Amino acid sequence: MTGADRTVFVNTAAASTGGTGVPSESVDLTAPFGGGTLPNPVTTASGCAGYGRELAKFLPLAELGSITTKTIMPAPRSGRPTPRMAETPSGMLNGIGLQGSGIEHFVANELPWLAERGARVLVSVAGERVEDFAACARALNGQPGVVGLEVNLSCPNADNSGLVFAANPATAHDVVQAVREVAEPTLPVYAKLAPDVTSITDVAKACVRAGADGLSMINTLPGVVIDTDTLRPHLAGVVGGLSGPAIRPVAVGCVYAVHAAMRAGECAAVPILGMGGIRTGRDALEFVLAGASGVAVGTAIFNDPTAPLRVLDELREALAARGFAKLTDAVGLAHHH
Ligand SMILES: Cc1cc2nc3c(=O)[nH]c(=O)nc-3n(C[C@H](O)[C@H](O)[C@H](O)COP(=O)(O)O)c2cc1C
């Protein structure tokens, strides 16, 4: 089927006024974020745009709804040995590990630079123990430019044989609660969930009960690529995280399931930040229709550093073409059968 053959369904409000579209420049892209809003729904996915310096050569950071930093831990870390990347069908596998210079360096050197550029910064934090997450959150209180914290639950828990915090509702709950307790009350705390769990909905519910103001989903899926010439795993760390278009249906499915639980009243409603293989505005719209009110662009940035801004423009066009005057009118619409 070609693009021209596809039927584009318009929203009923627009159809009832006889229109099939609205001017794209008039679409209201204001996006729910925690208890507040951001000017638009597009951010960068953690780890795919560093701390923004490289990206700033390609686009004005302040034009994105926010910039999500790569995950920051209390102390500097060197990450995993190379090779750390492998190509996969419709995606990539990375085994970078959580490399970084630590929270103090970030606050002193990276955050002021981001704030000067007017970037709204969603800071991704993690640690090996619950108190590490809290220490990062504390260090960010009162800092310029920070609009929220994203708690990366896909980090090995030193107190539980290295099983990631996201692996079960109880450990996810404890981390989110600890961060929520120390973070400034007005600062939204997002929990970033992993897809390779028995029930992402149960983990989502535990995070919201613990005080999460939003949910980011999904992180990468674990995978292995074997090099058939060397006859060994391609990545030095063997297992890597799969990202890119290959995981998009998994990600949309997770957003759909959690939004459905919110609609059913099984989980308090908080905004969802969707990600996983977004390359175009149409991809982003899929997440919005499934229930996301924000979207993050990750792997696509490695091919096209302008992708986040292009996705924003294309999403605006896609909403306008379908008669949506507001982003929020499209959020979760796929659930209205
Ligand atoms: C190279 C690379 C590094 C990443 N680093 C992080 C990270 O530091 N923290 C994190 O929460 N997610 C990290 N992720 C996961 C992304 O933020 C995102 O959840 C995932 O890749 C799915 O989105 P995508 O398919 O658009 O990349 C990383 C992904 C890639 C490809």
Side-chain angles (χ1 to χ4, degrees), residues 115-277:
E116 270 168 32
R117 273 142 197 90
R120 289 165 288 275
V121 190
L122 180 54
V123 186
S124 170
V125 296
E128 293 171 356
R129 299 195 154 76
V130 172
E131 55 269 28
D132 294 338
F133 286 81
C136 288
R138 209 174 282 116
L140 290 161
N141 279 343
Q143 296 299 333
V146 180
V147 294
L149 305 180
E150 183 174 76
V151 178
N152 177 3
L153 295 169
S154 298
C155 194
N157 179 352
D159 292 330
N160 187 9
S161 11
L163 203 64
V164 297
F165 291 94
N168 77 67
T171 47
H173 175 280
D174 290 351
V175 176
V176 172
Q177 188 174 50
V179 170
R180 190 55 287 173
E181 268 169 15
V182 302
E184 274 169 23
T186 53
L187 197 65
V189 172
Y190 271 58
K192 180 155 178 193
L193 309 184
D196 51 320
V197 293
T198 309
S199 167
I200 197 166
T201 310
D202 285 349
V203 182
K205 286 182 201 165
C207 291
V208 173
R209 268 200 308 275
D213 306 287
L215 299 168
S216 302
M217 63 181 93
I218 57 174
N219 215 314
T220 54
L221 282 153
V224 173
V225 170
I226 308 281
D227 183 327
T228 49
D229 293 321
T230 65
L231 316 181
R232 298 279 181 278
H234 187 90
L235 299 184
V238 183
V239 179
L242 181 65
S243 64
I247 71 168
R248 197 166 61 236
V250 177
V252 172
C254 290
V255 171
Y256 192 93
V258 172
H259 186 81
M262 290 174 182
R263 280 172 59 84
E266 294 162 18
C267 177
V270 296
I272 296 173
L273 178 58
M275 70 203 76

Side-chain angles (χ1 to χ4, degrees), residues 45-48 70-71 85 92 94 96 98 124 150 152 192 218-220 243-245 247 275-278 296-300 302:
S46 177
C48 299
K70 73 169 155 177
T71 296
M85 300 264 208
M92 64 182 253
N94 91 83
I96 294 181
L98 296 175
S124 170
E150 183 174 76
N152 177 3
K192 180 155 178 193
I218 57 174
N219 215 314
T220 54
S243 64
I247 71 168
M275 70 203 76
I278 296 178
V297 179
T299 301
F302 296 106

